[in-house]
């Protein structure tokens, strides 16, 4: 089973990683993603490793939601480089 780590580190087309479930289509995360800071290729495209592989699903879905950890790192920067819009949930303080 291919996961998001195969996209991030292996340049696998996202379409190959999609799993079809009763609740909808997903690309599963992977525990290895916690090491993304050191796993990704360090080159001039370091923060665009998700952009090209995600092109393979662009016409298949109206919306693609990508959930990221709440930390600024390589994974988040790759997501920001691949998306058109960002929703940032915040906690209201009273």
């Amino acid at each position: 089973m291919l996961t998001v780590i195969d996209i991030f580190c292996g340049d696998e087309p996202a379409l190959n990683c999609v799993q079809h479930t009763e609740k909808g289509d997903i690309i599963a995360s992977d525990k290895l993603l916690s090491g993304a800071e050191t796993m990704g290729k360090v080159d001039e495209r370091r923060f665009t490793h998700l952009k090209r592989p995600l092109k393979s699903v662009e016409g298949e879905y109206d919306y693609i939601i990508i959930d990221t950890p709440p930390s600024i790192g390589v994974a988040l920067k790759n997501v920001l480089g691949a998306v058109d819009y960002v929703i940032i949930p915040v906690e209201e303080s009273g």
Side-chain angles (χ1 to χ4, degrees):
M1 165 175 66
L2 297 172
T3 67
V4 72
I5 203 73
D6 297 294
I7 298 170
F8 187 76
C9 294
D11 286 335
E12 188 71 41
L15 196 55
N16 294 349
C17 301
V18 172
Q19 298 172 40
H20 305 284
T21 73
E22 292 177 13
K23 308 255 184 204
D25 293 352
I26 65 164
I27 296 177
S29 187
D30 194 305
K31 289 180 182 180
L32 295 174
L33 196 57
S34 64
E37 294 295 321
T38 58
M39 293 177 74
K41 300 170 197 150
V42 179
D43 57 17
E44 67 278 355
R45 300 177 345 179
R46 183 173 188 196
F47 300 122
T48 61
H49 290 300
L50 288 179
K51 188 172 187 160
R52 192 170 25 88
L54 286 176
K55 291 282 186 194
S56 69
V57 294
E58 204 170 62
E60 300 292 320
Y61 300 96
D62 293 328
Y63 297 98
I64 298 172
I65 299 170
I66 304 172
D67 188 20
T68 63
S71 59
I72 298 174
V74 172
L76 176 60
K77 289 178 182 178
N78 268 273
V79 168
L80 292 175
V83 300
D84 295 324
Y85 302 98
V86 176
I87 297 172
I88 302 172
V90 294
E91 184 177 329
E92 181 182 349
S93 61

